[in-house]
């Protein structure tokens, strides 16, 4: 039986990935790699849609790949590579650019948000066409399923539209992929502002748990998480966002449904809950951090693993690109 092909990626981010990336992406990727043909990419070409420092980008690309592996993405089971190592991404993106309507691209809400933050004049055309590069990432690998967060739903929809359009204009070429949207408990919120998603662009560093934070710092941030003035430990996203977020984190790290946790914590206080969250998170992330540092200590070996991944990715991507070029008349 051939396994279902999945593709996903994260941008290299300065310093470290965070708990939201870990629960919302890496944990699921790790589970999916056993019974799927999984391709996981560090999308450095997407990262340059915001101004970058070259040395920092190079370091964070390696560090992100190391965090994938340290989180359990096994480079012998999954194809793990860096986007810019496979030139077909840029080549297919160009072709897809010519099939995307300007109005269609203008409707992408993430561009509106990000360009508002960067300033409309400063925002690059690359930021504008970001979703088209993402479509190329997905379509190059005959991807059937794209595991993503809710915020990427519109981009996967565009990818499906482009694949369908190409197929109807030039003949059957692309697999039309489906999005697999993570569950609500897979979404982690800021510890200090639990109504906003935990994000690398967080306002306060104390709201963000980094995979490479030292364990003491992680525990301290969790113990300082914002809760509410009640005493009851129950999930209620509207009325009790802080407690709900702590329960979601504990649920993810103990693989226990939130309802069972609510039962376990009857009669206990917020201090007990925070202690349990801190213990569970530290126990799982401490070895991830240690393994990441070990991998970064041997850059030649890390680069070797990434070169193996790029070779495998390249051979799939080149076959797709050759099909596309033939169809469009190159
Ligand atoms: P950020 O929001 O910090 O910029 P990205 O947008 O680069 O993170 O997200 C990379 C991956 O991590 C995506 O699959 C996204 O859905 C997931 N992710 C990011 N933040 C969270 C979060 N707070 N909770 C769950 N998943 C998240
Ligand atoms: Na994001």
């Amino acid at each position: 039986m051939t396994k279902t092909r999945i593709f996903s990626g994260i941008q290299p981010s300065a310093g470290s990935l965070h708990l939201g990336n870990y629960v919302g992406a890496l944990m699921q990727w790790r589970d999916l790699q056993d019974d799927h043909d999984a391709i996981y990419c560090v999308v450095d070409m997407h990262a340059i849609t915001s101004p970058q420092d070259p040395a920092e980008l190079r370091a964070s690309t390696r560090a992100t790949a190391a965090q994938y592996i340290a989180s359990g993405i096994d480079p012998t089971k999954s194809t793990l590579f860096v986007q810019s190592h496979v030139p077909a991404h840029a080549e297919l993106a160009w072709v897809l650019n010519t099939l995307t309507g300007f109005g269609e691209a203008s409707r992408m809400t993430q561009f509106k948000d990000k360009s508002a933050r960067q300033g409309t004049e400063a925002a690059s055309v690359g930021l504008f066409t970001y979703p088209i590069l993402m479509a190329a990432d997905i379509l190059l690998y005959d991807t059937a399923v794209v595991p993503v967060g809710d915020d990427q739903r519109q981009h996967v929809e565009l990818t499906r539209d482009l694949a369908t359009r190409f197929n109807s204009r030039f003949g059957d070429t692309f697999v039309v992929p489906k999005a697999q949207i993570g569950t609500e408990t897979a979404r982690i919120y800021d510890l200090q502002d639990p109504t906003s998603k935990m994000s690398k662009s967080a306002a306060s560093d104390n709201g963000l748990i980094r995979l490479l934070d030292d364990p003491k710092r992680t525990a301290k941030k969790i113990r300082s998480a914002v809760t509410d003035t009640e005493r009851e430990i129950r999930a209620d996203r509207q009325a009790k966002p802080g407690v709900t977020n702590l329960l979601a984190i504990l649920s993810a790290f103990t693989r226990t449904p939130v309802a069972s946790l609510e039962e376990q914590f009857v009669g206990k206080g917020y201090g007990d809950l925070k202690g349990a969250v801190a213990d569970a998170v530290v126990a799982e992330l401490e070895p991830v951090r240690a393994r990441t540092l070990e991998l970064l200590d041997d850059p030649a070996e890390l680069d070797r693993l990434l070169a193996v991944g790029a070779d495998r990715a390249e051979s799939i991507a080149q076959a797709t690109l050759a099909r596309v070029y033939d169809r469009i008349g190159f």
Side-chain angles (χ1 to χ4, degrees), residues 8-11 13 18-25 29 110 114 147-152 186-189 197-201:
S8 204
I10 305 182
Q11 288 190 48
S13 39
H18 58 74
L19 191 78
N21 302 137
Y22 185 77
V23 174
W29 294 5
Q110 194 178 72
K114 287 195 179 173
V148 282
D150 192 37
D151 51 339
Q152 295 299 321
R187 178 173 283 228
I188 303 303
Y189 292 81
K197 219 183 71 147
M198 186 178 285
S199 165
K200 58 178 172 282
S201 40

Side-chain angles (χ1 to χ4, degrees), residues 88-323:
H89 289 257
E91 296 186 64
L92 181 59
W94 177 253
V95 173
L96 296 178
N97 265 314
T98 66
L99 287 177
T100 309
F102 188 80
E104 187 177 32
S106 305
R107 285 191 290 276
M108 296 297 121
T109 57
Q110 194 178 72
F111 172 73
K112 291 182 195 164
D113 295 345
K114 287 195 179 173
S115 61
R117 261 183 272 143
Q118 291 186 14
T120 331
E121 277 300 315
S124 71
V125 174
L127 184 68
F128 183 68
T129 59
Y130 180 117
I132 303 168
L133 178 58
M134 177 170 160
D137 300 341
I138 296 166
L139 297 179
L140 273 177
Y141 298 98
D142 297 324
T143 304
V145 175
V146 191
V148 282
D150 192 37
D151 51 339
Q152 295 299 321
R153 191 190 290 273
Q154 195 185 30
H155 293 165
V156 179
E157 226 17 77
L158 175 70
T159 304
R160 291 170 52 82
D161 289 344
L162 290 173
T164 308
R165 188 172 307 155
F166 189 103
N167 288 348
S168 68
R169 194 172 303 172
F170 298 108
D172 217 18
T173 305
F174 291 124
V175 172
V176 181
K178 286 197 180 65
Q180 180 177 305
I181 306 292
T183 58
E184 176 56 26
T185 45
R187 178 173 283 228
I188 303 303
Y189 292 81
D190 189 282
L191 296 175
Q192 290 300 316
D193 172 16
T195 57
S196 335
K197 219 183 71 147
M198 186 178 285
S199 165
K200 58 178 172 282
S201 40
S204 148
D205 184 68
N206 291 331
L208 184 69
I209 304 279
R210 292 199 176 75
L211 302 192
L212 304 183
D213 276 347
D214 84 74
K216 280 204 191 89
R217 192 173 164 77
T218 298
K220 187 160 181 242
K221 286 179 179 178
I222 292 169
R223 279 196 297 268
S224 317
V226 165
T227 49
D228 54 56
T229 55
E230 299 180 4
R231 301 177 52 88
E232 211 188 340
I233 296 175
R234 69 183 162 82
D236 180 336
R237 196 58 86 188
Q238 300 313 317
K240 300 171 74 67
V243 169
T244 306
N245 190 35
L246 290 169
L247 284 167
I249 297 172
L250 189 58
S251 167
F253 280 81
T254 59
R255 285 83 179 157
T256 307
V258 168
S260 320
L261 294 174
E262 288 172 329
E263 276 172 40
Q264 281 175 36
F265 280 93
V266 169
K268 295 192 176 152
Y270 291 170
D272 301 313
L273 176 62
K274 288 176 175 179
V277 174
D279 288 349
V281 170
V282 165
E284 185 159 333
L285 292 190
E286 199 168 10
V288 171
R289 174 174 184 258
R291 179 78 183 115
T292 302
L293 298 178
E294 222 173 77
L295 286 157
L296 291 175
D297 233 22
D298 189 355
E301 172 60 9
L302 185 57
D303 289 350
R304 189 193 64 79
L305 291 171
L306 292 173
V308 170
D311 271 353
R312 165 134 204 279
E314 170 107 57
S315 69
I316 305 169
Q318 270 309 328
T320 309
L321 190 67
R323 225 154 63 218

